[in-house]
Amino acid sequence: MRTQVAIVGGGPAGLMLGRLLELRGIESVVIERRDREYVQQRVRAGVLEQATMDLMDEVGLGARMHAEGLVHGGVELRFDGEGHRIALSDLTGGRAITIYGQQEVVKDLIEARVASDLPLYFEVSDVSVDPAAPSVRFTHEGVDHVLECDVIAGCDGFHGVCRPTIADVLTVYEREYPFGWLGILAECEPSSDELIYAHHERGFALASMRSPTVTRMYLQCEPDEDVANWSDQAIWNELDRRFGMSVNRGDVFEKGVTPMRSFVVEPMQHERLYLAGDAAHIVPPTGAKGLNTAMADVYLLAHGIDAFYGGDDSRLAAYSSRALERVWRVQHFSWWMTSMLHRFAGDDDFQLKLQQSQLRYTVSSAAQATALAENYVGMPFIAE
């Protein structure tokens, strides 16, 4: 088999890269180890930055997002039992966020690729990549394949094969946080029209949503928390306590614990292999940056590949350094939000007072509120 760009990973990053290349007349093959149903039902992030929303429009796939997504012009920081709204749109010239699940983005991208009759292989196995003589080996439906190409895009996530292939040339920067998020999905109207980030001496809490009838709630917990120890009633009671108000309740149909980690590798490229999304970096979910940073990666990578086929390989050569500028800005914002809102093991009253002071300054200072808003709605994607 032969193509111009081999894309390893059929999640949002890989599929969006394929779409961007398609619109530029560049051939690609996408391979994914999971089946289509699993990929389309895999619930992950649900907050789209303004630039991600604009990108969905740019590639012609924004219609359902606009029809079903929930646009938010602000978020609430809640502490000491009181809520304080950060007016995102007012502070950023009209930019906003949209609640639209990652799985919905994936559905839109898969449907578009299938409609274009472009190669998309699910349930592949035995994947290996060769960055030097660029090629990808894999097995699909019992048949072994060798896919020769000019460029390999490693969009196969944190547990994929691409990053380990070049592990010897990578420097790893990592931080494990001493807590996780106990998350639930429940059949009930969200408790607020916008997201609520709550600071409490017992730990952080987040009120989010998936739709006007499905709410998403999180509680800070131990990283190895057993959800079996939490009854529905105990979860609702703890949410009430941390928010300092009664939240809407309903039937809980999903529970799980999300670990908290920061992870970056440098460089994000070696020879003809280019890493994007979770294959190269992970952020704690506090700042809602994972999906959006992956989209920024592939936007930059697609423009670099386009220039490469136009005879200019300087953009591809600079891909890692340019991508990492945004990655580290995102890492800092996510760390800052996490540190301000969570209670760390061993924290004393002194640390609690520092967090409360930072929160008060954030909601009372126009400059600090603007900094939060700009980072939260996200900076524009760069093309070079």
Side-chain angles (χ1 to χ4, degrees):
M1 301 172 65
R2 171 78 196 176
T3 191
Q4 290 176 292
V5 181
I7 302 174
V8 184
L15 291 166
M16 179 58 79
L17 178 59
R19 180 67 173 178
L20 287 164
L21 296 177
E22 173 191 354
L23 297 177
R24 289 160 175 76
I26 298 171
E27 296 176 354
S28 68
V29 173
V30 180
I31 63 171
E32 165 60 44
R33 68 188 182 92
R34 300 285 192 171
D35 61 61
R36 178 173 177 176
E37 182 179 2
Y38 177 90
V39 173
Q40 292 188 158
Q41 298 300 321
R42 182 169 44 190
V43 177
R44 293 291 189 271
V47 176
L48 305 187
E49 293 178 1
Q50 182 68 56
T52 300
M53 296 154 56
D54 295 341
L55 181 58
M56 289 291 284
D57 287 333
E58 179 182 324
V59 300
L61 301 177
R64 194 162 71 92
M65 175 189 71
H66 289 297
E68 301 177 13
L70 306 175
V71 180
H72 290 180
V75 296
E76 180 179 316
L77 294 183
R78 193 170 183 86
F79 55 97
D80 294 337
E82 296 182 354
H84 307 265
R85 186 174 187 265
I86 303 294
L88 301 176
S89 296
D90 293 346
L91 294 168
T92 60
R95 289 186 289 161
I97 60 169
T98 291
I99 305 299
Y100 188 66
Q102 174 176 308
Q103 71 275 17
E104 305 304 327
V105 173
V106 168
K107 289 175 187 175
D108 295 336
L109 289 165
I110 289 177
E111 289 176 5
R113 190 165 183 90
V114 171
S116 297
D117 198 26
L118 295 175
L120 173 56
Y121 296 91
F122 290 103
E123 298 183 84
V124 304
S125 61
D126 301 321
V127 179
S128 63
V129 299
D130 183 349
S135 60
V136 178
R137 295 177 179 271
F138 65 95
T139 301
H140 181 251
E141 295 182 345
V143 179
D144 295 334
H145 298 276
V146 178
L147 176 61
E148 298 177 346
C149 56
D150 302 316
V151 172
I152 303 171
C155 306
D156 53 344
F158 185 78
H159 299 289
V161 302
C162 289
R163 186 183 68 254
T165 299
I166 58 173
D168 291 347
V169 303
L170 300 178
T171 300
V172 176
Y173 301 90
E174 187 171 18
R175 171 163 295 179
E176 296 277 352
Y177 292 89
F179 42 73
W181 280 8
L182 171 60
I184 63 167
L185 282 169
E187 297 281 359
C188 63
E189 181 180 348
S191 299
S192 171
D193 292 334
E194 296 175 335
L195 278 70
I196 304 175
Y197 288 79
H199 173 275
H200 191 273
E201 61 182 10
R202 292 173 60 88
F204 167 78
L206 171 64
S208 183
M209 62 212 62
R210 284 296 174 263
S211 74
T213 59
V214 176
T215 191
R216 182 70 152 161
M217 308 287 271
Y218 292 100
L219 289 169
Q220 178 183 341
C221 65
E222 295 297 321
D224 57 353
E225 193 76 51
D226 185 353
V227 295
N229 295 330
W230 285 83
S231 67
D232 294 358
Q233 185 67 39
I235 291 172
W236 292 122
N237 290 343
E238 188 64 19
L239 287 166
D240 286 350
R241 184 180 294 113
R242 296 193 191 181
F243 285 115
M245 66 179 195
S246 295
V247 300
N248 293 339
R249 304 187 179 201
D251 293 333
V252 176
F253 62 90
E254 182 178 300
K255 293 180 187 176
V257 174
T258 300
M260 303 283 283
R261 113 186 321 159
S262 295
F263 177 90
V264 181
V265 296
E266 294 187 11
M268 290 172 56
Q269 66 189 82
H270 179 63
E271 295 178 319
R272 286 301 177 192
L273 171 60
Y274 302 83
L275 304 178
D278 287 359
H281 43 75
I282 299 286
V283 291
T286 321
K289 295 298 169 193
L291 169 64
N292 297 291
T293 310
M295 291 300 187
D297 288 347
V298 297
Y299 185 80
L300 179 64
L301 183 55
H303 281 83
I305 293 171
D306 191 29
F308 170 77
Y309 284 111
D312 176 10
D313 63 359
S314 64
R315 292 192 187 183
L316 268 184
Y319 164 72
S320 177
S321 61
R322 296 294 283 139
L324 283 166
E325 291 176 12
R326 185 188 189 94
V327 167
W328 281 112
R329 170 88 298 275
V330 165
Q331 288 286 355
H332 180 267
F333 176 69
S334 298
W335 166 84
W336 177 73
M337 287 280 285
T338 301
S339 300
M340 178 173 63
L341 291 163
H342 291 74
R343 300 292 289 144
F344 287 73
D347 277 0
D348 55 15
D349 290 343
F350 183 84
Q351 183 64 27
L352 176 63
K353 291 295 185 182
L354 290 178
Q355 290 179 319
Q356 291 170 338
S357 176
Q358 180 64 64
L359 285 162
R360 292 191 193 99
Y361 178 62
T362 300
V363 301
S364 62
S365 163
Q368 187 72 357
T370 300
L372 188 154
E374 286 181 345
N375 282 275
Y376 198 85
V377 302
M379 305 299 181
F381 292 169
I382 59 172
E384 59 182 31

